Amino acid sequence: MNERTLSIVKPDAVKKNAIGDILRRFESAGLKIVAAKMIFLSKAEAQGFYAVHKERPFFDSLTTFMSSGPILVSVLEGEDAIQTNRRILGATDPVKADAGTIRRDWGTDVEKNAVHGSDGPDTARWEIAYFFSELEIQTR
Ligand code: ADP
Ligand code: MG
């Protein structure tokens, strides 16, 4: 099914100058970049994005990290985009991620793990709308 998913290149990967390499991975996997922008989240904006994790012990540290530097948010589109993107990201913890995945190659640790990818159709819709209006997403 043709789908859209939200991707974030997190502050650690931006600092490593890995934006281009990571976007290349998406395109090589057949995903089309239909929207993209660089932003610098406030702590409150990071807390809003990760609200689903607000009870987790790492919430404060995670949202401090996500508001520590610029990020590249993008919308990826393609056949099974959500699962395709999750597969090439790799496991949450870079040391447990398969060889050749983005997190294995550029992740720093379980928190600073280089990239975010939506985990299902409902979260993808919500996460895309958190950052982009329909007018900012290319449809042809
Ligand atoms: P994923 O990003 O793989 O979907 P989760 O949704 O479980 O992982 O967690 C969201 C984000 O929170 C992770 O990408 C990572 O940045 C951070 N995180 C997850 N687990 C931990 C942990 N045990 N300690 C610190 N940060 C974590
Ligand atoms: Mg998740």
Side-chain angles (χ1 to χ4, degrees), residues 10 50 53 56 58 62 86 92 103 110-111 113 116:
K10 295 185 179 183
Y50 279 116
H53 293 308
R56 308 280 284 276
F58 54 80
L62 171 64
R86 291 291 300 198
T92 306
R103 282 168 165 169
V110 67
E111 175 183 271
N113 58 1
H116 167 85

Side-chain angles (χ1 to χ4, degrees), residues 11-131:
D12 60 325
V14 173
K15 288 195 180 83
K16 290 176 185 178
N17 251 8
I19 292 174
D21 288 332
I22 291 171
L23 295 185
R24 166 62 59 217
R25 294 281 176 96
F26 299 148
E27 294 189 328
S28 296
L31 297 170
K32 198 174 162 73
I33 299 163
V34 293
K37 61 186 171 190
M38 200 160 195
I39 57 173
F40 196 149
L41 292 178
S42 67
K43 174 92 169 172
E45 288 163 346
Q47 288 169 331
F49 180 72
Y50 279 116
V52 62
H53 293 308
K54 64 178 183 296
E55 307 302 337
R56 308 280 284 276
F58 54 80
F59 181 69
D60 189 61
S61 175
L62 171 64
T63 53
T64 294
F65 161 59
M66 289 299 289
S67 57
S68 69
I71 61 174
L72 193 284
V73 288
S74 62
V75 179
L76 309 178
E77 190 175 274
E79 193 67 19
D80 294 322
I82 296 168
Q83 278 320 307
T84 299
N85 183 43
R86 291 291 300 198
R87 179 169 48 74
I88 64 175
L89 296 195
T92 306
D93 186 346
V95 302
K96 295 180 187 146
D98 289 342
T101 60
I102 295 169
R103 282 168 165 169
R104 175 72 164 263
D105 290 344
W106 287 290
T108 308
D109 57 38
V110 67
E111 175 183 271
K112 298 170 180 62
N113 58 1
V115 277
H116 167 85
S118 309
D119 63 7
D122 293 339
T123 43
R125 258 188 300 278
W126 185 89
E127 290 177 356
I128 290 168
Y130 194 79
F131 292 111

